[in-house]
Amino acid sequence: FFDPHIHKYSRTTDDYERMSLSGIEVIVQPSFWLGSPRTNVGTFIDYWEHMISYETKRAKEFGIEQFVCISVNPKESIVRPLAFEATEIMEKQFLDRERVVAVGEIGYNLINELEEEIFVKQLEICKNKNLLAMIHLPHLDKPKAMNKMERIFQVNKYNFNKILIDHNTEETIQKTLDWGAWAGLSVYPHTKLSPRRVIDIVKRYGGDRIMVNSA
């Protein structure tokens, strides 16, 4: 098994052992909100380095290959000038690292202009560097976020073969697939999708270009 979206920073070594015993061999860990406001750009640097170096080593101890997505997460993109400082360092120092496979998670949380500014900036970095992108749909009002993204995609052309839009539900999956992007389904039994809902979506739309993850 391959889990394309899992946040191991907050998981124990017991979880790695269970994953290994379950047959998971490869994981991708995207950048996430740590749960409290960041106070300086050094916290981004330390977090990204931890994922690239320590978590890769920790995964290998259980026979799992780990890769990383680096980004300024939507929940952290509204603070100025911190978000711009972090994005600049990300582009110059981290995106060419060996274990980094994409920019992500990027996108919306509150769906406001400050988030969109950093979202578009990171999309442009992806396009300029020919990188993959992992887009985060917000927990609330996903159709509104999709409509705002559609406007961005109409103005600026992006390669949807290189874009994964994650946290889809029944409201958004059709549009994601119609765009030609990869569609992520996150199994969160209480706050996102239950296993039953995931199964029903895959039965209806097929498995092509759909990735199921544990987030």
Side-chain angles (χ1 to χ4, degrees):
F1 292 114
F2 158 49
D3 193 325
H5 182 149
I6 184 168
H7 299 289
K8 295 307 295 180
Y9 183 88
S10 60
R11 309 308 301 179
T12 67
T13 51
D14 289 345
D15 292 322
Y16 271 116
E17 183 177 32
R18 293 188 188 101
M19 289 165 59
S20 180
L21 291 171
S22 299
I24 294 176
E25 298 181 352
V26 181
I27 61 175
V28 172
Q29 179 168 198
S31 296
F32 188 58
W33 173 62
L34 295 186
S36 59
R38 294 185 187 271
T39 57
N40 64 77
V41 74
T43 62
F44 283 98
I45 295 171
D46 292 343
Y47 171 56
W48 294 331
E49 188 61 48
H50 174 95
M51 286 200 300
I52 293 170
S53 300
Y54 178 73
E55 289 299 337
T56 298
K57 177 178 177 292
R58 193 160 72 123
K60 280 188 174 181
E61 291 174 355
F62 295 90
I64 298 171
E65 287 293 331
Q66 189 225 208
F67 299 90
V68 176
C69 307
I70 298 294
S71 76
V72 177
N73 188 273
K75 283 192 175 183
E76 300 169 328
S77 63
I78 60 175
V79 182
R80 300 290 186 273
L82 186 58
F84 278 107
E85 294 171 358
T87 304
E88 184 176 350
I89 290 173
M90 173 194 81
E91 183 177 11
K92 291 181 178 178
Q93 298 183 23
F94 285 91
L95 295 184
D96 294 325
R97 296 284 294 274
E98 182 181 355
R99 287 277 156 174
V100 176
V101 294
V103 176
E105 301 175 70
I106 60 177
Y108 293 105
N109 176 43
L110 301 175
I111 317 178
N112 60 37
E113 292 183 3
L114 290 174
E115 292 173 353
E116 186 164 305
E117 188 176 23
I118 298 297
F119 175 34
V120 172
K121 183 176 179 63
Q122 293 183 98
L123 278 176
E124 289 300 305
I125 290 172
C126 286
K127 185 163 71 172
N128 293 337
K129 284 184 167 284
N130 198 29
L131 287 170
L132 304 173
M134 179 185 289
I135 295 177
H136 168 95
L137 287 177
H139 298 286
L140 301 175
D141 209 349
K142 295 176 188 288
K144 179 181 177 181
M146 292 291 282
N147 290 336
K148 291 181 76 69
M149 284 165 47
E150 188 166 31
R151 177 175 50 80
I152 292 169
F153 296 152
Q154 287 171 347
V155 174
N156 304 290
K157 301 301 180 183
Y158 300 102
N159 181 0
F160 284 105
N161 281 322
K162 293 182 174 291
I163 293 176
L164 168 68
I165 299 175
D166 218 332
H167 307 318
N168 281 276
T169 63
E170 296 86 349
E171 296 177 300
T172 62
I173 184 73
Q174 183 68 67
K175 182 171 281 191
T176 295
L177 294 173
D178 286 346
W179 285 341
W182 293 84
L185 301 176
S186 300
V187 186
Y188 270 33
H190 301 295
T191 58
K192 288 192 176 72
L193 291 175
S194 66
R196 180 74 259 169
R197 288 173 67 193
V198 170
I199 290 168
D200 288 343
I201 290 172
V202 173
K203 279 185 175 180
R204 179 176 178 183
Y205 294 95
D208 190 35
R209 302 188 77 83
I210 290 180
M211 292 189 183
V212 177
N213 66 74
S214 66

